[in-house]
Amino acid sequence: AQSVTQLDSHVSVSEGTPVLLRCNYSSSYSPSLFWYVQHPNKGLQLLLKYTSAATLVKGINGFEAEFKKSETSFHLTKPSAHMSDAAEYFCAFLPLDNAGNMLTFGGGTRLMVKP
Amino acid sequence: KAGVTQTPRYLIKTRGQQVTLSCSPISGHRSVSWYQQTPGQGLQFLFEYFSETQRNKGNFPGRFSGRQFSNSRSEMNVSTLELGDSALYLCASRIYMNTEAFFGQGTRLTVV
């Protein structure tokens, strides 16, 4: 069975400071990994994805994530937080070589940005 | 290209009633998944359909059911509604089952 753990349920940063949202996965399958963002009462929007190409992935709105196989991690970063980044963020895992191909989500991290 | 469309956006139902939610995937996408999102339980997977067949199922009671039509549109039905069914129901579509998912805006269901 696979699982995704987002290590922080809440993260608070000041505007203009770096953002780090942590995600670890557990699976015996090769991964495809994703970060999604959700603003209040909206659906999830895809921020970026890792699909076994470059380990450093750039996404929308200045976010990027690095896949580290040895650490089974896929942490999301942004150099400088903006007020509009305040939202909930979800990490997701997809096994590439499993016929079930079920997308598994972490519990989410709520990012708060202080002015 | 139109995104994933969910209807209705908001719904208020009474306990004991049933409800049907609709999802139209992105054109060309053959997989549709449904999720329930609540403040207490987070994002929970309900089921996934691909080419009209249910391929994966989450741990929900039989009151929750779904189906997918030949045009890939999907419906989700909840019978005998309970207060605890109040949630944001999200639909997501994928081209194939080994690709990323794209989400709709959700249907906010309130059971009173």
Side-chain angles (χ1 to χ4, degrees), chain B residues 65-78:
Chain B
S65 63
R67 59 178 176 168
Q68 186 180 33
F69 302 96
S70 58
N71 62 358
S72 293
R73 190 177 71 85
S74 176
E75 286 181 348
M76 191 193 94
N77 185 76
V78 188

Side-chain angles (χ1 to χ4, degrees), chain A residues 22 29 59 66 68 85 102 107 114:
Chain A
R22 298 182 293 168
Y29 297 102
E66 185 172 11
K68 292 187 177 180
D85 295 328
M102 200 170 109
K114 298 175 289 187

Side-chain angles (χ1 to χ4, degrees), chain A residues 33-47:
Chain A
L33 292 155
F34 310 90
W35 275 99
Y36 288 85
V37 61
Q38 184 182 32
H39 292 278
N41 289 310
K42 300 285 188 184
L44 278 65
Q45 179 187 13
L46 182 66
L47 270 180

Side-chain angles (χ1 to χ4, degrees), chain A:
Chain A
Q2 64 217 31
S3 66
V4 178
T5 302
Q6 292 184 239
L7 295 146
D8 306 293
S9 58
H10 292 81
V11 169
S12 181
V13 301
S14 296
E15 192 174 21
T17 63
V19 175
L20 170 64
L21 305 183
R22 298 182 293 168
C23 172
N24 284 89
Y25 70 92
S26 174
S27 176
S28 55
Y29 297 102
S30 297
S32 195
L33 292 155
F34 310 90
W35 275 99
Y36 288 85
V37 61
Q38 184 182 32
H39 292 278
N41 289 310
K42 300 285 188 184
L44 278 65
Q45 179 187 13
L46 182 66
L47 270 180
L48 48 78
K49 63 180 180 181
Y50 165 77
T51 53
S52 75
T55 56
L56 183 62
V57 181
K58 293 189 185 301
I60 61 172
N61 300 335
F63 284 95
E64 61 182 40
E66 185 172 11
F67 171 64
K68 292 187 177 180
K69 186 176 180 179
S70 60
E71 299 176 10
T72 60
S73 69
F74 190 56
H75 300 335
L76 181 70
T77 61
K78 183 173 181 178
S80 176
H82 191 273
M83 294 297 291
S84 60
D85 295 328
E88 187 147 25
Y89 292 79
F90 292 91
C91 179
F93 172 95
L94 179 67
L96 286 177
D97 43 3
N98 177 0
N101 293 119
M102 200 170 109
L103 197 56
T104 300
F105 284 87
T109 298
R110 185 165 298 280
L111 175 65
M112 293 166 283
V113 181
K114 298 175 289 187

Side-chain angles (χ1 to χ4, degrees), chain B residues 81-96:
Chain B
L81 284 165
E82 301 176 359
L83 294 179
D85 296 333
S86 295
L88 181 67
Y89 289 88
L90 293 165
C91 168
S93 74
R94 304 197 266 175
I95 296 177
Y96 300 110

